[in-house]
Amino acid sequence: MLQQKSILLLCLFLFYFIDACHKKPDFLINVNRLSDRVAVFNCLDVSVTAVASSKGIIIIDTNRSPGIMKKIKEEIENIFGRNDFIYVINTHGHWDHCSGNQVFNTVEIVGHKNCSNYIKNSRINSPMKIWSLENRITKMREDLTLPEKTDDEVKFIKDNIAAWKIVLQDVKNEYFPSPPTITFNDTMTIYAGDLTIKMIFCGNAHTNNDIFIYIPEEKLVFTGDMFTDESRFGFSINKLVDVPRIISSMDKIIRDLNEIKFIIPGHGALFHGNAFIKLKQLLEEKHKLTGNRESIVKLLETWIEELETNLVVKKY
C-alpha cells in the first residue's frame, strides 16, 4: 500500500513538474495544425511554420524577435514531441520574418543570396524602430481605457501588449542579425526524407530577395509577403517589379503540384490553393496594363550612366 502511494505521489510530481516546465506564454499564439507533419503558428499577425520531416524539423520564418520565437519553438517541441531542428528558411529578409533566426544558432539558415546582405545591412535596433514600438504599446494601453470593450477585446489587447513588450525588449537588448548561412540564386531543394522542400526566387517584387517555398507531398505553398490575401499583392506593379519572373515561378509551382491545398502567406489567414491560380491570372492582367509603360527610374538610371549626375539634374 505504501509503495502504491509512493508511485502515485511520484506521478503527481512528474505531472506538475512537466506542466510547470511547459508554461504557456502570457500572449496568444494561434496554432493551425494542417497535418501530422505541418503546423502554422501565428503571433502578432506573423506566420511561422514547422514542418516535421523524417530527417528533422524545418522552420519557415521566425517572427519578430528572439523572445517571441523562443516561445513558438517551445510550442513546436511540445506539439511534435521532438526538437531535432535541421533548417530555418527565410521567405525574405524583412525583420518581422527573420528576427528570431538567432534562436536557432546551431541550425543552417537558408535564404536567397540577396537576403543575406539585406539582413546584414538592416538596423533593427535603431532609435526610430524603438520609438515606433514604444508608441505602438502606448496606443494599445490607451485603447484599454476606452469604454464599451468586451472581455474578449480586452484580453486581445493585453495579449498584444505582452507580446509587443517582448519585441521591444529584444530590439533594445537581445537582437543581433542572423543572416542565412546557405544561399542560392534561382532554385534550391532540400531532401528531408519523406518530404521535399522546394524554393524558387521570385525576382524583384516585395523585396529583392523574395522566394516561394512549396512542399509537393503536402501540397502547400508559402508566399511570404508576395500576396497579402486571395486578391491582393504585397507589391506595386510597375517596371521595377520582375512580373514575368514571378509568373514563370508560379507556373512552375502549378505544374509541379497539380493540386494546391493551402497557401500560407507571411501575414493573415491561410487561403485555399485555387487562389494561387487566380492570383497569377490577376497578375497577368495587371501587368498588361503597365507592361508597355516606361519607367522614369529606369530612364534616370540610363541617363546617369550616360551623363554625369549634375548634368542629368540640370537637363531633366
Side-chain angles (χ1 to χ4, degrees):
M1 190 69 177
L2 184 60
Q3 187 178 16
Q4 288 178 333
K5 285 184 178 179
S6 298
I7 293 171
L8 179 60
L9 287 171
L10 178 60
C11 290
L12 287 170
F13 170 78
L14 289 173
F15 173 80
Y16 286 113
F17 176 77
I18 293 169
D19 187 60
C21 288
H22 181 63
K23 184 184 177 184
K24 290 288 182 183
D26 54 0
F27 55 87
L28 185 63
I29 299 173
N30 287 310
V31 182
N32 191 344
R33 190 76 182 264
L34 299 185
S35 72
D36 290 343
R37 300 182 291 194
V38 181
V40 182
F41 302 79
N42 192 287
C43 180
L44 296 179
D45 193 37
V46 179
S47 291
V48 172
T49 303
V51 181
S53 75
S54 60
K55 294 278 188 173
I57 297 175
I58 297 149
I59 302 297
I60 298 174
D61 283 343
T62 59
N63 213 280
R64 299 179 187 268
S65 85
I68 298 293
M69 191 61 226
K70 283 176 186 175
K71 297 296 184 182
I72 294 174
K73 181 173 177 279
E74 290 172 10
E75 291 296 303
I76 293 167
E77 292 172 354
N78 181 57
I79 284 175
F80 289 109
R82 50 194 285 200
N83 62 359
D84 54 338
F85 299 96
I86 53 172
Y87 291 104
V88 168
I89 305 173
N90 292 144
T91 58
H92 61 294
H94 279 169
W95 78 283
D96 50 335
H97 297 272
C98 60
S99 291
N101 282 5
Q102 70 190 66
V103 173
F104 301 92
N105 58 355
T106 61
V107 175
E108 297 284 11
I109 300 171
V110 181
H112 187 262
K113 66 172 185 177
N114 294 336
C115 183
S116 184
N117 288 331
Y118 194 99
I119 292 175
K120 286 176 185 175
N121 295 323
S122 297
R123 190 182 173 194
I124 304 305
N125 57 348
S126 67
M128 180 59 73
K129 173 63 71 178
I130 292 170
W131 174 85
S132 175
L133 291 170
E134 288 174 339
N135 193 46
R136 180 189 288 267
I137 292 168
T138 299
K139 285 184 177 179
M140 285 190 290
R141 284 175 174 154
E142 289 171 355
D143 282 347
L144 277 177
T145 65
L146 296 176
E148 299 181 358
K149 290 226 175 294
T150 66
D151 290 345
D152 287 343
E153 287 172 333
V154 169
K155 184 180 184 309
F156 178 78
I157 294 171
K158 286 183 176 179
D159 281 341
N160 274 273
I161 290 172
W164 281 112
K165 284 172 69 176
I166 290 173
V167 175
L168 175 61
Q169 187 68 22
D170 285 348
V171 167
K172 284 182 173 180
N173 302 310
E174 299 294 332
Y175 175 83
F176 59 85
S178 301
T181 53
I182 297 174
T183 62
F184 64 94
N185 291 331
D186 299 310
T187 62
M188 179 177 171
T189 300
I190 293 173
Y191 297 99
D194 58 336
L195 292 174
T196 312
I197 318 298
K198 296 190 174 187
M199 293 157 274
I200 184 167
F201 178 45
C202 301
N204 290 337
H206 178 69
T207 66
N208 70 346
N209 54 89
D210 293 287
I211 63 172
F212 290 131
I213 305 165
Y214 60 107
I215 306 174
E217 295 85 357
E218 291 284 337
K219 301 186 183 301
L220 299 177
V221 178
F222 302 82
T223 61
D225 284 356
M226 289 291 288
F227 304 120
T228 53
D229 61 33
E230 296 186 18
S231 60
R232 287 188 297 171
F233 313 128
F235 52 90
S236 299
I237 298 175
N238 55 50
K239 296 291 285 187
L240 297 179
V241 173
D242 194 352
V243 176
R245 179 153 193 160
I246 299 169
I247 292 170
S248 174
S249 299
M250 295 178 77
D251 277 333
K252 177 173 173 51
I253 293 170
I254 291 165
R255 285 196 306 271
D256 278 5
L257 291 187
N258 293 322
E259 177 196 356
I260 301 171
K261 285 184 179 177
F262 290 108
I263 308 297
I264 303 171
H267 303 277
L270 281 60
F271 42 98
H272 289 282
N274 56 2
F276 196 69
I277 295 172
K278 291 178 181 177
L279 281 162
K280 185 181 85 77
Q281 292 169 343
L282 182 61
L283 186 58
E284 289 169 334
E285 291 169 10
K286 298 281 187 184
H287 182 53
K288 285 178 183 177
L289 300 175
T290 60
N292 295 323
R293 294 180 185 173
E294 287 288 346
S295 165
I296 186 63
V297 177
K298 287 289 187 184
L299 287 172
L300 280 170
E301 183 181 43
T302 303
W303 295 336
I304 289 168
E305 287 175 356
E306 294 174 353
L307 303 169
E308 292 182 10
T309 305
N310 62 336
L311 291 177
V312 173
V313 172
K314 185 177 178 180
K315 187 173 181 178
Y316 298 104

